[in-house]
Structures are given as C-alpha cells and as structure tokens.
Amino acid sequence: MALLGKRILIAKPGLDGHDVGAKIIALALRDAGADVIYTGLRKSPLYIARVAVDEDVDAIGLSILSGSHKEIVVQTLECLNELDASDIKIFVGGTIPRDDYEGLIAAGVRGVFTA
Amino acid sequence: MNPKSRNSRREMSKALSRVANASVSETLEEQKSIPINNLYRIGVTGAPGAGKSTLISHLASKRVQRDRKIGVIAIDPTSPVSKGSLLGDRIRMETVSDNPNIFIRSIPSRRAHDGLADNTADILWSMEDKNFDEVIVETVGVGQAEYSIRSLVDTVVLVLLPESGDAIQAMKAGILEMADIYVVNKSDLPGAEQMAGDIAVTAARKSGVKEEWIPKVIQTSNNNIDSFRALDEAIESHRIWRSEKVNRDEERRARILYQVQGLIGRRIEELIEVLTDSDLDKTPKEIYEILIENLSKFPK
Ligand SMILES: Nc1nc2c(ncn2[C@@H]2O[C@H](COP(=O)(O)OP(=O)(O)OP(=O)(O)O)[C@@H](O)[C@H]2O)c(=O)[nH]1
Ligand SMILES: [Mg+2]
C-alpha cells in the first residue's frame, strides 16, 4: 500500500484502440493503494491535462503504443504547463524503443516502463 | 496555505482536494461559519451498472444549457483490501468532461459503506462557496445508499433497470419511499413500460397529503438523448416545488446532524487506528473507556 492516498490518472492518448495494458496498470496501482482514474481511449493531450487538473492527480501515466510518444509527451507537458500544473509528474508505458528513453526523460518524463 | 495559481480552476480544484484529504480536526477548523446555501444538490443513486454515470453525463449537459455551473461528485468504492480505488465513473462522462461549465471530481468511498464517501458532507459544504450553481452526486451502487444521500441533497433520483422483479425488490427494500424522481433507465430494453407503470402506481399511493410531492417516473435511454430532457424538467419542477414547500431550517439541521455524525464516526476510526496492542489486550469496557476519553479531547 505504498501509494495510499496518491491519485493517478492513467491516460490513453493516440489513435490505437488497445488498452488492456493501461487497464492492468490501473489495477496494479489500485492494488498498491492508489486512487486511479482512467481517461478511456483516444484522448488528446489537452483533454488529458484538463482531466488531470480537475481530478487534481499527483501523476499521469501515459500508455502509448502508436510510436508517436515524443510528440505526445511534449504536448502533454506543454498543456500541463499552460494550466499551471507542471508539478504533475508524467510516466510513460507501452511500446517505447530503448533508444528513446533518454530523450523522454530529458523532456521531463519521470519514468519509462515497458513490458 | 492557499497558494495562488494563475489558473483559477486549478486553484479551486486544489482547494477541494484539501477538504477531501483533511483530517477531522482540520475539517472542523475549516468549518468556521455556516455557509449560505447556494448550491442546488441533486443525488443520483441506483444499483451497480444501472447507468448512473451515463445518465449524469446527459443530465449535466442539459443543466448547463440552463446557464448553470455544474459540479459532479462521482463516488466509487474503495477496495477493502488495498484501500486503493478504481474511479471509473468519469469514463462514462467523456462528452461533458471538458466542458468549461462542468467540473467532475471522482472520489473514493474510503471508510463509508452507505453509498457515499465518509467526507461527502464536508466536500459539499466546501463547494457552497466555489461558484457552482448545482452539484450532482453519484453514489456507489450499493443497497441502502438512498437513505444517506437523502440527508444531503435536495432532489434524489433513483435509477432502476427495466428487469422484471426489480420493482418488487425496490418495494421490499422500501427505497420506493426515498426518491423524488424514479428513472427507468435503459428503456431501450424490454420491460421498461411495465416497470414504469408499476412504480408510478406505487409512488402515487403515498400522496394522501395534499402538500406532498408526487414522485415523477421517467423512462430514459442512452439511445434517445431527448429522453433526458424529461428528467431535467422533472428536476426543475421538484426544485420549484421545494422552494415553496420545504422548511429550510429543519432541513439544514438534519444535514448538519448527518455531517457531525460523519465527523464523529471518522474521529473514532482515527482513534481506533492508533490503539496499541496492549490497549487491545484489555477488556471491552476498558478499551471503550480509552476511546471515549480520547474522543472527548479535541483532535490534534
Ligand atoms: N442498453 C443500454 N445500456 C446503457 C444505457 N445507459 C448506460 N448503459 C450501459 O450500462 C453500463 C453501465 O453504465 P454506467 O453509466 O457506468 O452505470 P453506473 O450505474 O454508473 O455504474 P456504477 O457506477 O459502476 O454503479 C455501460 O456499459 C453503459 O454503456 C442505456 O440507456 N441503454
Ligand atoms: Mg458510475
């Protein structure tokens, strides 16, 4: 129950319709004690940032399988900043090539988790 | 304490979290004066999967058309094992999720088992001064949620499914006496007409008194967006009826009593959590006395 009292948004940007992974992560986080909110499929970075503000989450987990992780991450961080919410942490999962980890971290992602 | 944000929505959202996360003593310190009741409160309750969240999404989009700012408090259960939660109501509210005049906050039920969260009363209290015109509360889908939500809201909407037997079940449980508006949802499924008829007869039965509100029965379906207009209008007529007939003082007293009961319950839970093993080796009477003694001190 390491995450007791933490609020986490699991978000599914991009156009692919696969969210089994996102749902499993959501369940695992719940089992670790977190309060988890899931956005549903195909959400824009702005939508995700707005929901994160309204739900006042501590972190957002982006599940990305589409390959456009860099753009999505940058846009989401920009939207958060615009909404004065850049203290909300972002982590990323999905299909992310190892070579891209460093770039994502440099952009401001706190962690990259893949299967 | 109240860090200013250049985004007022973020600031309001954070203020709400402070209330949601507050201990009993912090809550008591915050509630210095009784707020003017501005917020019209609508409670939506019904069995798991009855379609409450979907219905709230349609309802909220109707309410904003009346030029009102709407808050939604959507409660989902806390896992008794991990104490975490999956707050899934919002997924059904996608279409209104980024409407600037609708604010949705998902909250876990925490220690409560009555369909609400143990701090719902305090959250609603704090929403009185946050520029909302109305709040819609979605209860957890558990039996008996009707009783608690009744104490906190102005209009109770009970969502039922058109399955045979449901009406009888509802009558048995006595919940057909609790709501102001009955919705037979998913009326695209067979049996809705019959169900609505049964409930209308049952609900009208109690109208022996002239002054009494005669509960409305409405059929709605996700496949027919227009069906939610009737719900919106029924809420409006209940609101008008209430403004003429309800004794606000009596109601305020009942609400504050529910709120204080909740605070005492939470305080007892807080005190139970800090009991030591050696406390628990004592007799029930001794443990009881320890709890009562600690309860009598103002929580630090
Ligand atoms: N056929 C039909 N299905 C509906 C209708 N409204 C909602 N549903 C479906 O019913 C299921 C449950 O809907 P929700 O809105 O999540 O129900 P809920 O009462 O909020 O559920 P809990 O919060 O889990 O208790 C979903 O799969 C919806 O798509 C409707 O009018 N007709
Ligand atoms: Mg729901």
Side-chain angles (χ1 to χ4, degrees), chain B residues 46-55 58 75-77 88-89 92-93 138-142 159 185-189 220-224 228:
Chain B
K52 299 179 290 297
S53 305
T54 313
L55 173 140
H58 293 299
I75 310 168
D76 262 327
D89 292 324
R92 308 277 175 216
M93 304 180 188
E138 176 178 345
T139 72
V140 180
V142 295
V159 184
N185 192 32
K186 308 197 189 182
S187 62
D188 49 296
L189 303 176
T220 57
S221 167
N222 205 11
N223 301 346
N224 174 13
F228 295 95

Side-chain angles (χ1 to χ4, degrees), chain B residues 179-182 199-217 234 237-238 241:
Chain B
D180 304 303
I181 298 168
Y182 298 92
I199 293 167
V201 172
T202 319
R205 204 179 49 93
K206 74 172 211 173
S207 59
V209 191
K210 247 213 189 105
E211 296 288 275
E212 221 175 333
W213 166 256
I214 300 172
K216 295 217 185 307
V217 185
S237 39
H238 187 238
W241 177 86

